C-alpha cells in the first residue's frame, strides 16, 4: 500500500477539497486537527494487534474521550437485546458472573414477570450502542451509593448508537472471545488491559512510523483526541443535527460545538453554487404586482 493507493480510493476533487478544508481548520483560532475517514482506516491498518485495532476503532466509532474509553466494561457494550436485558435487570454483577446466551424471549422479564424490553426486534434491525460514562464520576465509595452519587452517575451516562455494521459485527465477536476465553473477564471489569493514555499514544506513534516507512504520510500530528474530532466532523458532514451531536459527544452546552461548526460551513458548502443575483429584478417584481407573471 502507498499514498497513491489511499488517495485513489476517494474521488480526486472531493479528496483535494477535504484536505484543503482540513488545512484551513488547523490554522484557525481554536482550530481542530482531524483525520478524514480514509486516513483513520489507513492508520488502523498499521496497528499490529487486534486489541489495539479494536480500541482505536472504538474511539473512532463513538467519539469517546480517552478516559471514557479506558473506563468501558463488557456490560457497557449493548450489542444485542440480551445485553439490553442485562442492563435493565440490574446494575452490578459479581466477579464470577459469566455471559450466558438467552434464546427465549420470555426470559426478557424481571423477577416479577414484567417484561424488560418493550418488544423483541430482529437482530438485523436492533440498534446497538455503547454506554459511556465520565471517568471522574465512574468511581464511587464503598457501600451503598448516596442519592446524589446515583444522580451524578446517571447524568454522566450517555448512550452512543453504533452506526457501522462492520464494527458492530467485529465487536460482537471480539467481546465474546474476551468474556468467554481462557482469561475471561466479568461483565463489570475494565474491558481493555491498557490503563494509560500514554500507552495508547505510543500505539498511535508507532503506527504512524510504520505507515511512513510504507510511503504514507499524515499531514497533521495524531493524538488520542484526534479520533474524537474526526468522529464529530464525520457526523456533521453526514447531516447529524448539532444538538444530537452534542448529546453523542457528551457536551453540556451547544457552545461546545462551536469549535466544529466554525469550519463546518466552509467544508459543507464548498463546491456549491448558489446565485444571490437576479437580473431585471425590479421589472419582474413590478410585473408580479400587476399580475402579469
Amino acid at each position: 500500500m502507498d499514498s497513491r493507493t489511499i488517495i485513489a480510493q476517494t474521488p480526486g476533487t472531493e479528496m483535494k477539497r477535504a484536505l484543503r478544508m482540513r488545512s484551513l481548520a488547523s490554522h484557525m483560532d481554536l482550530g481542530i486537527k482531524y483525520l478524514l475517514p480514509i486516513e483513520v482506516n489507513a492508520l488502523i491498518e498499521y496497528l499490529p494487534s487486534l486489541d489495539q485495532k479494536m480500541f482505536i476503532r472504538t474511539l473512532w466509532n463513538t467519539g469517546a474521550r480517552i478516559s471514557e474509553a479506558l473506563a468501558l466494561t463488557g456490560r457497557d457494550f449493548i450489542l444485542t437485546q440480551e445485553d439490553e436485558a442485562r442492563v435493565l435487570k440490574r446494575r452490578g454483577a459479581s466477579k464470577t458472573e459469566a455471559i450466558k446466551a438467552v434464546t427465549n424471549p420470555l426470559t426478557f422479564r424481571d423477577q416479577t414477570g414484567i417484561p424488560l424490553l418493550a418488544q423483541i426486534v430482529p437482530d438485523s434491525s436492533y440498534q446497538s450502542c455503547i454506554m459511556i460514562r465520565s471517568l471522574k464520576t465512574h468511581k464511587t465509595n464503598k457501600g451503598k451509593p448516596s442519592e446524589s452519587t446515583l444522580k451524578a452517575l446517571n447524568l454522566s451516562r450517555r448512550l452512543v448508537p453504533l452506526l457501522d455494521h462492520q464494527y458492530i459485527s467485529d465487536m460482537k465477536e471480539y467481546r465474546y472471545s474476551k468474556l468467554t476465553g481462557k482469561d475471561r473477564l466479568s461483565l463489570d471489569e475494565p474491558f481493555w488491559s491498557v490503563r494509560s493514555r500514554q500507552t495508547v499514544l505510543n500505539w498511535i506513534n508507532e503506527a504512524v512510523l510504520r505507515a511512513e516507512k510504507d510511503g504514507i504520510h499524515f499531514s497533521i500530528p495524531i493524538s488520542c483526541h484526534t479520533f474524537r474530532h474526526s468522529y464529530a466532523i464525520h457526523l456533521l458532514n453526514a447531516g447529524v443535527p448539532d444538538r444530537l451531536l452534542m448529546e453523542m459527544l457528551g457536551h453540556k452546552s451547544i457552545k461546545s460545538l462551536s469549535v466544529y461548526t466554525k469550519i463546518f460551513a466552509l467544508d459543507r458548502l464548498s463546491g456549491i453554487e448558489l446565485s444571490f443575483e437576479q437580473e431585471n429584478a425590479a421589472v419582474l417584481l413590478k410585473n408580479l404586482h400587476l399580475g402579469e407573471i
Side-chain angles (χ1 to χ4, degrees):
M1 179 191 301
D2 58 25
S3 56
R4 290 173 297 178
T5 302
I6 289 183
I7 293 176
Q9 294 173 1
T10 301
T13 301
E14 293 183 11
M15 183 69 169
K16 291 176 182 178
R17 182 181 299 140
L19 290 171
R20 173 175 166 264
M21 295 304 103
R22 199 260 304 280
S23 178
L24 287 172
S26 65
H27 286 85
M28 291 175 62
D29 291 339
L30 300 178
I32 62 171
K33 295 178 174 62
Y34 61 93
L35 295 173
L36 304 179
I38 195 171
E39 294 175 304
V40 175
N41 286 282
L43 177 66
I44 289 172
E45 289 184 23
Y46 286 95
L47 294 168
S49 71
L50 180 60
D51 288 339
Q52 293 183 22
K53 290 179 187 291
M54 293 308 297
F55 185 87
I56 298 299
R57 287 178 70 186
T58 299
L59 293 179
W60 166 228
N61 277 266
T62 65
R65 301 175 179 92
I66 183 66
S67 59
E68 295 170 341
L70 292 172
L72 289 173
T73 68
R75 190 182 297 276
D76 294 327
F77 291 84
I78 306 174
L79 308 177
T80 66
Q81 294 172 91
E82 299 167 20
D83 297 330
E84 185 176 345
R86 292 189 189 94
V87 171
L88 293 174
K89 190 173 183 180
R90 62 174 182 162
R91 293 181 178 177
S94 66
K95 286 290 184 180
T96 59
E97 180 182 1
I99 187 169
K100 299 178 181 178
V102 179
T103 56
N104 186 352
L106 296 178
T107 59
F108 290 155
R109 297 173 180 270
D110 63 18
Q111 294 179 351
T112 64
I114 298 176
L116 290 168
L117 304 179
Q119 61 181 347
I120 305 300
V121 299
D123 289 342
S124 59
S125 61
Y126 182 76
Q127 180 59 65
S128 299
C129 59
I130 294 183
M131 182 182 295
I132 297 178
R133 58 177 63 81
S134 171
L135 185 60
K136 292 181 179 179
T137 55
H138 183 62
K139 295 181 179 180
T140 60
N141 294 326
K142 293 182 179 180
K144 184 178 180 180
S146 64
E147 290 294 329
S148 60
T149 299
L150 288 175
K151 183 178 180 180
L153 283 170
N154 286 327
L155 289 175
S156 75
R157 289 189 176 99
R158 67 183 187 275
L159 287 172
V160 177
L162 299 175
L163 307 176
D164 186 273
H165 292 296
Q166 187 60 55
Y167 172 77
I168 294 171
S169 176
D170 292 346
M171 179 51 76
K172 284 180 180 178
E173 182 178 347
Y174 177 69
R175 188 188 67 154
Y176 184 80
S177 67
K178 296 199 70 169
L179 296 179
T180 62
K182 179 181 178 181
D183 300 319
R184 72 183 187 186
L185 298 173
S186 76
L187 285 168
D188 295 292
E189 288 183 280
F191 193 62
W192 279 282
S193 59
V194 60
R195 297 287 185 271
S196 166
R197 176 193 301 264
Q198 185 59 50
T199 299
V200 178
L201 184 57
N202 291 342
W203 294 350
I204 295 170
N205 291 337
E206 290 167 4
V208 169
L209 290 175
R210 292 188 192 97
E212 289 178 348
K213 291 179 180 179
D214 212 9
I216 297 175
H217 300 275
F218 301 96
S219 56
I220 64 167
I222 303 174
S223 69
C224 300
H225 211 66
T226 302
F227 302 99
R228 179 172 169 84
H229 289 323
S230 305
Y231 171 84
I233 294 296
H234 189 46
L235 264 61
L236 279 172
N237 280 325
V240 174
D242 290 356
R243 290 195 175 276
L244 178 55
L245 181 59
M246 179 186 76
E247 295 297 332
M248 294 171 72
L249 289 172
H251 288 313
K252 294 182 180 180
S253 170
I254 194 70
K255 293 181 180 179
S256 301
L257 287 181
S258 62
V259 66
Y260 303 110
T261 54
K262 279 183 178 180
I263 66 165
F264 177 62
L266 183 61
D267 195 358
R268 191 66 182 273
L269 297 178
S270 181
I272 294 179
E273 293 185 8
L274 181 63
S275 176
F276 286 86
E277 304 296 327
Q278 177 65 64
E279 293 183 1
N280 302 317
V283 174
L284 290 170
L285 186 60
K286 182 178 180 179
N287 291 337
L288 178 63
H289 288 315
L290 293 176
E292 296 180 4
I293 297 180

